[in-house]
Amino acid sequence: MTQEIEQNQRQDNVLARFRGSAGLKLILICFLVLLMGIPAMFIGAISYERSSYADQVFREVSERYGGEQTLVGPILSVPYQIPSRNNQPAETGHYILFPDQGRVDFTSIDVETKQQSLYKVPVYNASGTMEAEFSNVLSRLTASGLDLDLTRAKLLVSVSDVRGLKSDVSMMGPDGQRLNFEPAQFNGVTTPAIPPVTETALNGSIRVISPAVPGSNYRGMPRFGNWLSADIGEWVESDVPFEVSTDLSLSGAQSLSVLPFAKSTRVDMASNWADPGFQGEFTPLSRDIGESGFSANWTLPYLSRGVAGEGRAHVILNRLAQNQVRVKFVNTDNPYQTVNRALKYSILFIGMVFLAYFLFEVIVGVRVHPAQYILIGLAQAIFYLLLLAFSERLGFSPAFAIASALTVIITSGYAGAVFGGRDYIWKAGAVFATVYGLLFVLMKIEDFALMIGALASFITIAAMMYLTRNMEWYGVQRLQSIP
C-alpha cells in the first residue's frame, strides 16, 4: 500500500511538473498564435469583399464619366480587295496608312474626385489635339500591290467610350477646311447587295473598286473602342502631302491612354493630379511631379513600336494595340491594399504580443491561463477589423492611430489586471505601443518592409533567447533578474 501511495505521488509530481513547465507553455503559446490566424483569415475575407464592392462602385462611377479612355488616330484607311485565286474566296478589308509624324497634346487634364457612398473615384475632363502629317501617300499605297478604292479613303480616330465626348469631333484640313467626324461604317457582311465589280486603272496597280464582292472573305476592322471617320478621298487622289489636326474634348475616369498611331509619335500630358502612375510599354522621356500636378512627355520612334508604317488593318492594328502610353490617376485613398498588407503580418505581431505576455508571466511569477491568451489574441485580431472599418471612413493613418490606441489600452489594461499592478499597465503599454509603431512603419515604408520585418523578427527572438537563457524550461522557475 505504501509503495502504491509513493508511486501515485511521484506520478502527481511529474504531472504537476509538466503542467507548470515553461517549455510546454511556450509550445502552447506558439500553437495559439497559429490559431489566431483563423480570425485574421476571416477579416481578410471581409476586406476582400469590401474591396470587390469598391471596385464595383468604381466601375459604375467610371462608366458615367466615360471610363478608362484609350485614343488612336488620326490614321488613313482605304478599302482593299484581293481577287479570288486557286479556289480561294476573294478577300476584302481595310488598308491602313500611318502618318509619318504624329503629336498628341493633352496638357489640360483637370482631375477631380467623385464620391459615391464611402468611395472616391478620380475622374477627369481633358481637352487636347491630335496632329498627323502624311506624305508620299499614293506611292506608299501603290507599293501594297492591292486593289484599293481611293474614293472611299477615310481618316479614322478611335475613342474608347464616346459617351465621354464633350463636343463633336472635327479636324482642320490642309486647305483650312474643317471636317466633322461621323460614326464609322464598316461593311462586314459577306454577301452585300452591291452591283458587279467595276475596275478602273489608276496610277499603276491601284484600282477603284467596290467595297466588297459577293461571297468574299471580309477582314473586319479591329475595335479599340469606337471608330470615328471623315471622308478624305479627294486629298488622297491629289497626291500632295497634307497635315490634319483633330480637336478632342472628353471626360474619363482613372486613366488616359494613347496608342502610337504615327511612325514617330510625340505625346505631351499635364494635369493637376499629383499622384500619377506611368504605365504601358513606354516610359516618359521626362517628367515633373509636384504638389500642384504633373507634366510628362514621350517620344516614340518608329522602330521602337515594332509595327510597320502601313498594312492590312486586321494585322497591324492588332500589333499596335500591344503598345501604349498610359497615365493612371492613382487613388491614394484606397485603404484595402494597405489593410491586406497589414494582415499578412498579423501572425508575426500577434506572436510578439504573446511573447511579451509570456515574459511578464515568467518574470512576475503569475500564471496566465491559455484562455486569457486567446482573449488577448482576439483583441489583436479585432484591431485589424477596426483598422478596416475606420480606414474606409478616415483613411489609413488616422484609422491606424485609433485602432492601435484602443487595442493598446485594452491589452495593457488587461496586463495590469492579470499581473496585479499599475506598473505593468505602463510597461505593457510601452511594449505594445512599440509593436504597433513598428507595424505602422512597415506599412508606410513599403520598399523596406521585408527587411525591417525580418530584422524585427530576429531582434525579438534574440531578446527572447537572452532573457530566458537561465530559465528551467522543464519546470517552474521565476526569473530572478533581468539584465
Side-chain angles (χ1 to χ4, degrees), residues 23 27 45-46 107 229 237 240 305 321 341-342 374 394 448 452 479:
I27 294 173
I46 294 174
T107 54
S229 68
E237 291 179 309
V240 294
R305 70 174 191 165
R341 285 182 54 228
I374 291 177
L394 306 175
F448 298 95
I452 294 175
L479 290 181

Side-chain angles (χ1 to χ4, degrees), residues 153-155 157 168-182 229-235 242-247:
K154 298 179 182 294
L155 203 67
V157 298
D168 290 334
V169 181
S170 62
M171 69 173 177
M172 183 70 70
D175 54 359
Q177 179 184 5
R178 183 164 291 277
L179 298 178
N180 290 326
F181 281 86
E182 301 285 344
S229 68
D231 295 330
I232 59 167
E234 295 181 358
W235 299 353
F242 61 91
E243 299 179 9
V244 294
S245 177
T246 304
D247 298 320

